Amino acid sequence: LRLLPQQRYLQMERAEVSALERKRNILCCLITRILKVEKQLHIDNLVFRVIDACQKGELGPGLQFLSFCCHSVDVLSCVLHLLNQGYLRRQEERPQVVEY
């Protein structure tokens, strides 16, 4: 029986996955925090506000995190995730409007 050292690329993949999960969690928190205040927003306005908060490094009143690069695809992916989880919903008469 020989013990092989753990391969570095496996450690890198785990670190990347962990970073992506943290990014998704931050985006989901931003989305819900914004919608808790606004109650409902057009999806374009929501994406813009989340991206703006990411660039400024603002999570909310009194809370901050390091600013990071955030794209509209990332935000839309998180919106779809929250819709599937039941945290958000679309208006029936206006599906482009998302509400908390």
Side-chain angles (χ1 to χ4, degrees):
L1 178 67
R2 286 183 4 194
L3 295 176
L4 297 175
Q6 191 172 19
Q7 293 149 347
R8 289 188 177 265
Y9 71 89
L10 291 177
Q11 292 173 342
M12 292 301 292
E13 287 179 5
R14 288 186 190 125
E16 289 174 8
V17 168
S18 178
L20 287 174
E21 286 176 354
R22 281 194 305 272
K23 183 177 180 178
R24 187 179 82 173
N25 289 339
I26 290 170
L27 290 176
C28 287
C29 287
L30 277 171
I31 291 166
T32 54
R33 185 174 288 254
I34 289 168
L35 283 174
K36 278 183 178 181
V37 172
E38 297 295 327
K39 304 298 182 210
Q40 64 182 18
L41 272 175
H42 190 281
I43 195 146
D44 293 341
N45 291 337
L46 178 61
V47 170
F48 173 76
R49 293 199 43 195
V50 170
I51 291 173
D52 188 50
C54 288
Q55 290 173 346
K56 291 179 180 176
E58 299 172 348
L59 182 56
L63 300 173
Q64 291 190 349
F65 60 90
L66 295 174
S67 63
F68 61 90
C69 184
C70 171
H71 300 285
S72 60
V73 175
D74 300 328
V75 178
L76 290 171
S77 173
C78 290
V79 168
L80 288 175
H81 175 72
L82 292 170
L83 283 167
N84 288 333
Q85 294 293 318
Y87 292 109
L88 306 178
R89 66 175 178 236
R90 291 180 172 185
Q91 290 184 350
E92 288 185 28
E93 63 278 0
R94 296 185 320 169
Q96 70 276 13
V97 175
V98 181
E99 53 188 29
Y100 181 73

